[in-house]
Every structure is written in C-alpha cells, then in structure tokens.
Amino acid sequence: MATPGLTLDQALAWLDDLLYTQQQQHFTTLQVALLRAAWEPGRQSYRAIAQAQGYSENYLKYDAGPKLWRCLSGLLQDKVRKTTVRALVEQRWQTQQG
C-alpha cells in the first residue's frame, strides 16, 4: 500500500525541525512563503511572490531565494532548486519514514 503524500504543512514542520536541530534557528516568514510558492503545482514566479509579500522581485530571485535553496541543500544533502524542492523533500521524507 502506498504511503499518502506529504502535505505542505508536514513538509514545513519536518524541514523546520531539521533546521532547528542543525542550526538552532527556524525558517523566517519569507522563507515559508517561498517554500509555499515553490511547493504547489504551477509554482508562482518570483514576481508574483514579490507582489504578494511586498518584496522586490530581484531581492527574491538573487538573494532570499538562493539563500533558501542553499540552506535546504545543506539540510537535505542534495542540490535543491525552486523547481526541484518538492520532489527532493518528498524523497528524503519517505526515506526517513522507513
């Protein structure tokens, strides 16, 4: 029987626990917003995220986004990008579930 899919809220909680365990910090509100936008099918563009969150598109695209993907790459021990984050998180989570 297949394991039910990982929900976004489960993924966020699991990743935040990993981050806290490894770096004694939690994701920021902006990092959570970026993860939410990247998780859903038909991912939002940085422009749409910027408009919704009140940031500049360039800041998200060249600073906040890359920092988040590098952070997640370290947590998951694999190269994470906006387009691959969901698949990699689901894969690592399945591995952790045994």
Side-chain angles (χ1 to χ4, degrees):
M1 185 168 163
T3 305
L6 179 66
T7 68
L8 174 60
D9 289 336
Q10 289 172 318
L12 287 170
W14 180 67
L15 289 170
D16 195 65
D17 285 346
L18 284 177
L19 181 63
Y20 190 78
T21 299
Q22 291 184 21
Q23 300 178 21
Q24 289 71 53
Q25 60 186 17
H26 294 284
F27 287 115
T28 66
T29 303
L30 177 57
Q31 289 172 321
V32 170
L34 286 168
L35 277 167
R36 284 186 183 284
W39 188 267
E40 297 304 323
R43 293 169 203 85
Q44 290 183 333
S45 66
Y46 282 118
R47 176 176 287 156
I49 301 165
Q51 290 172 345
Q53 297 296 318
Y55 289 91
S56 79
E57 179 181 358
N58 284 341
Y59 172 68
L60 298 184
K61 192 172 188 177
Y62 299 111
D63 189 353
K67 284 179 182 174
L68 175 60
W69 312 135
R70 278 193 301 275
C71 174
L72 291 171
S73 293
L75 292 177
L76 300 176
Q77 298 295 301
D78 205 343
K79 176 83 171 153
V80 174
R81 292 190 294 280
K82 183 179 175 209
T83 57
T84 63
V85 64
R86 184 174 183 161
L88 287 171
V89 169
E90 287 176 336
Q91 180 183 37
R92 290 297 186 276
W93 184 79
Q94 287 287 342
T95 302
Q96 294 292 319
Q97 301 308 303

